[in-house]
Amino acid sequence: MNALPLKLFGAALLSLSGLLGGCYFSRRLAVRRKFLADFGVFISNLETAIRYRSADIFTLVNSSQELFEISETNLPFETAWELGTSDFSKRFCLSSQDCALLKEFGSQLGKTDAEGQIMHLEMYQTLFSEQRACAEEDIKNKSKLYKTMGLFVGVSTALMMI
């Protein structure tokens, strides 16, 4: 019995698994970019809410987005923000810089008057847009590379197995 068809089938599966691994890492870059774009919209909505509504920071944050909900009203906002965003690194494939920026953003939210909050939001809008530009650049430079390298690793492994 000839084992060549079975080896070729195994080689094809290894190549495909390498390609899928590359696609997975490429997709993570797109998830990060989408989150940063959505977060920019959140900041803009929050800025509008702070300008035109007088409510506590929990209500304003919850009404300005759909990404998460800050519901721990018996905790200080900074702690509730940290708890509400603690899984964002894994969920949205954020870099350590993104996470640090997100934590800093929430730590100062709600601590000053409306004008101070608006200035805070404008500053972080700029910082998050820079992060979004970095994410765009990562997609442009790394997305195709991840797919190609995944396929290369899969094919290389398959050739070594044959």
Side-chain angles (χ1 to χ4, degrees):
M1 186 160 128
N2 194 353
L4 184 62
L6 187 59
K7 285 183 180 182
L8 291 176
F9 179 70
L13 287 179
L14 281 171
S15 301
L16 181 63
S17 67
L19 177 63
L20 290 176
C23 289
Y24 168 76
F25 285 104
S26 176
R27 176 76 179 126
R28 289 173 50 96
L29 295 174
V31 167
R32 176 178 175 238
R33 177 189 58 189
K34 179 164 180 6
F35 171 79
L36 292 171
D38 290 346
F39 199 76
V41 171
F42 160 70
I43 291 174
S44 179
N45 290 343
L46 184 58
E47 183 178 344
T48 303
I50 287 174
R51 280 187 199 273
Y52 300 110
R53 293 177 56 197
S54 59
D56 67 295
I57 192 67
F58 287 95
T59 305
L60 293 173
V61 166
N62 288 333
S63 68
S64 299
Q65 50 75 39
E66 298 172 356
L67 294 173
F68 58 95
E69 186 172 324
I70 306 296
S71 59
E72 300 290 332
T73 55
N74 57 342
L75 294 173
F77 181 78
E78 183 178 354
T79 307
W81 175 265
E82 201 168 315
L83 289 172
T85 59
S86 61
D87 69 333
F88 278 23
S89 176
K90 292 179 185 174
R91 226 169 94 195
F92 299 111
C93 310
L94 301 180
S95 69
S96 58
Q97 283 181 319
D98 298 336
C99 291
L101 202 55
L102 193 64
K103 185 177 179 179
E104 289 171 21
F105 173 78
S107 70
Q108 296 302 312
L109 206 53
K111 291 189 177 179
T112 61
D113 64 343
E115 275 309 305
Q117 291 302 299
I118 290 168
M119 288 173 34
H120 174 79
L121 293 171
E122 288 171 352
M123 179 182 76
Y124 277 92
Q125 180 78 20
T126 303
L127 293 172
F128 275 104
S129 15
E130 290 171 3
Q131 289 299 104
R132 188 175 63 239
C134 288
E136 290 283 347
E137 192 66 26
D138 282 349
I139 286 175
K140 188 173 133 184
N141 293 334
K142 295 179 183 176
S143 183
K144 199 172 189 179
L145 176 71
Y146 284 157
K147 292 173 188 173
T148 305
M149 288 302 293
L151 180 63
F152 176 74
V153 168
V155 169
S156 299
T157 305
L159 288 174
M160 289 175 62
M161 298 298 283
I162 293 179

